[in-house]
Amino acid sequence: MIIAHTIEDVRTRVKQARAEGKRIGFVPTMGYLHDGHLSLVEISKQQSDFQVMSIFVNRIQFNDKKDFESYPREHERDFALAKSAGVHLMFLPEEEEMYCNQHTFVEMESLTEHLCGATRPGHFRGVCTVVSKLFNIVQPDVAVFGRKDIQQAIIIEKMVKDLNFPLRIIIAPTIREEGGLAMSSRNKHLSPSERIRALSIYRGLLAAKSLIESGNRDVRTIIAAAQSNIESSRPEKIDYIELVSYETLAPINIMNQRAILAIAAFFGTTRLIDNMLIEKNGEHYSCVL
Amino acid sequence: MIIAHTIEDVRTRVKQARAEGKRIGFVPTMGYLHDGHLSLVEISKQQSDFQVMSIFVNRIQFNDKKDFESYPREHERDFALAKSAGVHLMFLPEEEEMYCNQHTFVEMESLTEHLCGATRPGHFRGVCTVVSKLFNIVQPDVAVFGRKDIQQAIIIEKMVKDLNFPLRIIIAPTIREEGGLAMSSRNKHLSPSERIRALSIYRGLLAAKSLIESGNRDVRTIIAAAQSNIESSRPEKIDYIELVSYETLAPINIMNQRAILAIAAFFGTTRLIDNMLIEKNGEHYSCVL
């Protein structure tokens, strides 16, 4: 695995791979890799020949300075994991390599009003800007994002379409720890007891799934089922539990379309997110966690 | 010359040229071509092998609906001119091909407060967005913009740097009609008498050039010289006559750096812009029109 610290080095290596006729796959991350990230590489390998991963903790997408500063970083461990997963080129830039008097930003005018967009002002502007930069640096054929960050994945798909980036986005399934907790680099911050309490998010999603798949169409009832599960484990705060349209990410009142049940809650000082995809097949709904 | 109406067709043709080892040059335009546009193609040919031109009157960069609607369009004539200039691929999309429920925009936070950014709200957001899209569609190695639209050229250079577009921007000299009027598609709207009056913009720049090159460093005196020339020809309105830093596009009070004298004025209902580059060589300044 090659480790590149400069944009120029990435471009040289990618150009070489392309000259060899290889298709380029890309998995952008903020590091502290877990099996969720590695599953993205697996999916990328099915669609491309040369695997690029980036690790960059992107300051401009953090609305909370402490969250940025405490975001876990452990590069040697990440390198070993990425290498074993089959990454060919790791891009690990310093902040100065990525941002030098940055005044251009990519803004998304829809899809950002709800969920994390409402509770983390400026977050998706930072995400869209850094992902645009990374796409222009790596120039991949495919890029893979996890469904755990569903709003991010949908926003990036829309951005790619709107700005005509010449690549394809793949949204990959959420990978869960034993007990159902969605894998996240932030899980590291959970104390053992917080980690146990946090399992209530998964139980809340399962309760909602059970209602929906048994025919319940009342959104308030469905949300209440998730909420009572989560509240029973005394989260420090619930940012949101919302059932939203997959298309617009706006809340819906009745189940009548492809949708998402999305949750953000704090356990201790750690903010966790999770969601469930609600697929519509005629009059039947099936839930994917 | 191939005429492509779809993004897919452009991509196929460009990919083919690239597979033949050709470097791609790009000249984005709004059509109604004149010698200024053709000079951009000439410059592009010196740096690349396959010339792409686009013609697209980009609604979202017009703050004045009437200006958009009356913008001159004459495609057959444009095709003949582009072909004779050596354009290989002409991209002429319908509006629906470019915009379909667009919600992503590229914003520039600096360089837009002054000059046309102050008098045409939203203009550069529209420019940055469409140019980003065109860059992603054409994927050129070099793109050429005219110095007549100096603020646009500087903003696009900054955008390319900030978002890491993998291409090089070339800023090409202004081409002038006999008498010195800067070539512009909008000149078509001038009546014969307005056209004669509009020559005062060039005379104003020449008067300022003469002062600067003879050692005058007082910005107010320099601007006054340009202004009195222009006012003597009774323009319907002067949007601005400003002497700004090349670096920041903010007005400066004393000549102490590379700068631009920029003018926007209406003759009849037609808004014309022009400018002069003021190069600093040690203590000496030289002006380029």
Side-chain angles (χ1 to χ4, degrees), chain A:
Chain A
M1 186 176 80
I2 304 154
I3 298 168
H5 296 279
T6 67
I7 292 165
E8 197 187 341
D9 196 14
V10 171
R11 287 194 167 140
T12 306
R13 309 286 185 172
V14 169
K15 188 179 269 183
Q16 195 180 325
R18 200 176 287 289
E20 292 164 9
K22 292 178 179 160
R23 280 171 58 80
I24 314 299
F26 181 41
V27 176
T29 82
M30 299 209 298
Y32 207 75
L33 303 180
H34 50 66
D35 284 352
H37 297 110
L38 304 182
S39 78
L40 305 182
V41 178
E42 277 312 308
I43 288 169
S44 182
K45 281 155 84 172
Q46 295 163 16
Q47 308 286 334
S48 59
D49 316 296
F50 185 79
Q51 303 312 319
V52 184
M53 178 182 279
S54 62
I55 294 181
F56 181 63
V57 185
N58 178 39
R59 188 192 295 268
I60 69 166
Q61 78 187 59
F62 284 82
N63 52 311
D64 177 346
K65 199 177 167 212
K66 269 197 197 134
D67 185 25
F68 170 73
E69 283 164 358
S70 69
Y71 201 88
R73 294 154 169 96
E74 206 170 315
H75 294 156
E76 291 307 321
R77 183 177 152 280
D78 286 348
F79 294 162
L81 287 169
K83 189 178 171 185
S84 71
V87 170
H88 300 97
L89 173 61
M90 171 65 81
F91 180 37
L92 183 83
E94 293 289 329
E95 193 159 2
E96 300 69 39
E97 181 72 5
M98 288 295 282
Y99 294 117
C100 170
N101 189 31
Q102 180 91 16
H103 285 289
T104 315
F105 296 92
V106 180
E107 301 261 12
M108 176 67 63
E109 283 202 342
S110 66
L111 305 172
T112 56
E113 308 89 328
H114 304 287
L115 308 180
C116 290
T119 49
R120 301 185 66 186
H123 171 62
F124 288 116
R125 180 182 197 245
V127 169
C128 286
T129 301
V130 79
V131 171
S132 290
K133 287 170 67 73
L134 289 168
F135 284 171
N136 282 338
I137 292 165
V138 175
Q139 296 180 259
D141 296 288
V142 296
V144 190
F145 291 82
R147 202 173 63 216
K148 202 268 282 175
D149 302 305
I150 184 88
Q151 187 173 19
Q152 168 177 284
I154 290 173
I155 284 173
I156 287 170
E157 262 195 334
K158 174 69 174 152
M159 179 185 83
V160 163
K161 192 161 162 278
D162 278 2
L163 294 185
N164 306 98
F165 279 101
L167 56 92
R168 195 159 62 85
I169 297 294
I170 301 173
I171 302 182
T174 301
I175 305 296
R176 299 178 181 281
E177 300 181 3
E178 228 173 306
L181 183 64
M183 287 202 184
S184 164
S185 305
R186 287 191 176 87
N187 293 355
K188 171 192 158 57
H189 295 314
L190 296 170
S191 72
S193 67
E194 285 164 1
R195 185 175 288 254
I196 289 165
R197 287 198 284 131
L199 297 178
S200 64
I201 297 176
Y202 184 64
R203 285 198 307 273
L205 290 173
L206 286 181
K209 173 183 164 80
S210 168
L211 281 176
I212 292 166
E213 292 186 347
S214 65
N216 201 310
R217 299 285 172 265
D218 181 56
V219 166
R220 276 192 299 183
T221 309
I222 295 164
I223 289 177
Q227 188 164 351
S228 70
N229 265 282
I230 295 168
E231 280 179 347
S232 72
S233 74
R234 295 164 291 105
E236 271 58 28
K237 186 185 169 192
I238 296 178
D239 256 1
Y240 58 77
I241 302 176
E242 288 197 87
L243 208 157
V244 299
S245 158
Y246 190 94
E247 213 53 51
T248 65
L249 298 184
I252 55 178
N253 295 317
I254 43 162
M255 286 297 306
N256 59 359
Q257 58 188 292
R258 191 182 192 204
I260 300 159
L261 178 60
I263 296 170
F266 282 84
F267 288 88
T269 57
T270 306
R271 185 177 183 275
L272 300 176
I273 62 174
D274 203 343
N275 68 82
M276 171 171 86
L277 187 57
I278 307 166
E279 296 283 9
K280 184 177 194 296
N281 308 300
E283 289 312 299
H284 183 71
Y285 289 86
S286 55
C287 299
V288 187
L289 276 83

Side-chain angles (χ1 to χ4, degrees), chain B residues 18-34:
Chain B
R18 199 176 288 288
E20 293 165 7
K22 291 178 180 162
R23 279 172 58 81
I24 313 299
F26 180 41
V27 176
T29 83
M30 299 208 299
Y32 207 75
L33 303 180
H34 51 64

